[in-house]
Amino acid sequence: MQTKSIVEWFETCLGQYLLEREQKYFDKAVANVFGYNAVQVGFPQYDFLRTNRMPLKFCAAPEKGADVLAAPDFLPIETNSTDLVLMPHMLEFSSNPHQILREVQRVLMPEGNLIVSGFNPRSLWGIRGLFGSPREGGFPWRGNFIALPRLKDWLTLLDFEITEDRQCCYAPPFSQEKWLTRFHFMEEAGERLGRFSGGVYFLTAVKRVHGMRVIKPEWKEVRARKRAMSPIARKIKGTAATNEPPKAARIGTLPQGEK
């Protein structure tokens, strides 16, 4: 995957069409994800974490311009240390997407968030990738598009819980702006009805760890026990007494002379 070809493609009208919608989704999706560490894997030319407020945000990628030069399938990040991982279009351009997901599962801390975007093979974009001309074999058409149900299965096997999936880019992938404009009604209909197959999907998942249970301090029970142990003075027939039972009642016998 050559960076230059990707940058050139995103400068086209179709690339701008896609980039505008992806940036809009990521801006909204990461804004309210809290924690300490967030990492964007791939595409260092674009800051998809710009609206996130975590103190440490960086991009890990094998291309020049990344904050950390690293392959996505072997991240130099400590295990269980990251609160958010964002992966834009990394799986469909990797020879081993399963290893990338395993690596992401490793670096994410329990209850950490994963946001993935990918090209949908069950769409007009996927059809163009299958039947496009050889000269169109660059980005993104040479990628191995992964169907959304398959990706959900992979994540479920890695103990992720799917929390949201969305789609965008319902218009056909025309290379001319005038045709994209004419078919803009498909974009609006797809977003409103949710029945059309978008060219790009977004998937949000949370890493779950089986057997974990959040233990909260039982402050109410502690205070209740303390109150029960403290004697409270009461006035009975003109004399002060406590709420403790009589001695005879405590030892289970009656005073002598009583039956």
Side-chain angles (χ1 to χ4, degrees):
M1 185 167 59
Q2 297 180 0
T3 304
K4 183 178 180 180
S5 62
I6 294 176
V7 173
E8 289 177 348
W9 186 84
F10 273 107
E11 291 176 352
T12 64
C13 63
L14 184 59
Q16 289 295 309
Y17 166 78
L18 169 63
L19 184 61
E20 177 184 354
R21 282 152 181 79
E22 291 209 343
Q23 188 73 69
K24 181 179 179 180
Y25 177 84
F26 288 137
D27 286 347
K28 183 178 179 180
V30 305
N32 295 320
V33 180
F34 301 102
Y36 296 96
N37 305 312
V39 56
Q40 173 182 319
V41 181
F43 288 83
Q45 304 87 2
Y46 310 102
D47 185 8
F48 294 129
L49 293 172
R50 64 184 185 182
T51 61
N52 186 264
R53 290 168 283 181
M54 294 189 193
L56 178 60
K57 300 181 293 183
F58 63 95
C59 178
E63 301 102 317
K64 182 180 179 181
D67 301 306
V68 176
L69 289 175
D73 48 353
F74 291 101
L75 297 172
I77 301 175
E78 186 178 356
T79 301
N80 297 331
S81 64
T82 308
D83 299 281
L84 170 63
V85 174
L86 188 150
M87 286 200 307
H89 302 290
M90 291 303 300
L91 298 176
E92 57 260 63
F93 298 99
S94 170
S95 59
N96 194 354
H98 299 86
Q99 174 59 27
I100 294 180
L101 291 177
R102 284 192 292 266
E103 191 70 354
V104 170
Q105 196 270 351
R106 179 187 67 81
V107 302
L108 271 175
M109 64 185 305
E111 304 302 314
N113 291 268
L114 169 64
I115 303 177
V116 181
S117 68
F119 291 103
N120 185 8
R122 301 175 181 178
S123 67
L124 295 175
W125 291 59
I127 294 175
R128 176 173 175 178
L130 290 175
F131 300 101
S133 61
R135 63 185 180 85
E136 296 178 338
F139 183 88
W141 315 117
R142 63 182 178 85
N144 184 21
F145 296 178
I146 301 171
L148 185 57
R150 177 185 294 183
L151 180 57
K152 288 183 178 181
D153 290 341
W154 291 354
L155 290 174
T156 301
L157 292 174
L158 292 173
D159 296 328
F160 279 95
E161 178 184 347
I162 310 301
T163 57
E164 183 185 36
D165 64 271
R166 297 283 300 275
Q167 296 187 18
C168 71
C169 299
Y170 296 90
F174 293 116
S175 57
Q176 297 182 5
E177 186 174 0
K178 66 177 182 179
W179 289 107
L180 285 174
T181 303
R182 290 182 182 181
F183 282 84
H184 187 70
F185 71 92
M186 296 182 63
E187 186 77 23
E188 297 176 350
E191 292 180 352
R192 183 173 64 255
L193 301 177
R195 298 177 181 177
F196 300 103
S197 184
V200 173
Y201 58 74
F202 304 98
L203 191 64
T204 304
V206 177
K207 176 183 174 180
R208 303 299 189 192
V209 177
H210 296 293
M212 287 191 60
R213 183 170 65 92
V214 179
I215 301 177
K216 299 180 180 179
E218 300 177 351
W219 300 114
K220 293 183 179 179
E221 288 76 2
V222 172
R223 288 197 295 269
R225 287 196 296 269
K226 289 183 178 179
R227 287 197 297 268
M229 294 173 61
S230 302
I232 303 175
R234 293 183 300 171
K235 188 174 182 180
I236 302 176
K237 295 182 180 181
T239 62
T242 66
N243 62 344
E244 294 183 352
K247 184 176 181 181
R250 292 198 304 270
I251 64 177
T253 59
L254 294 175
Q256 292 183 358
E258 295 187 11
K259 295 184 180 179

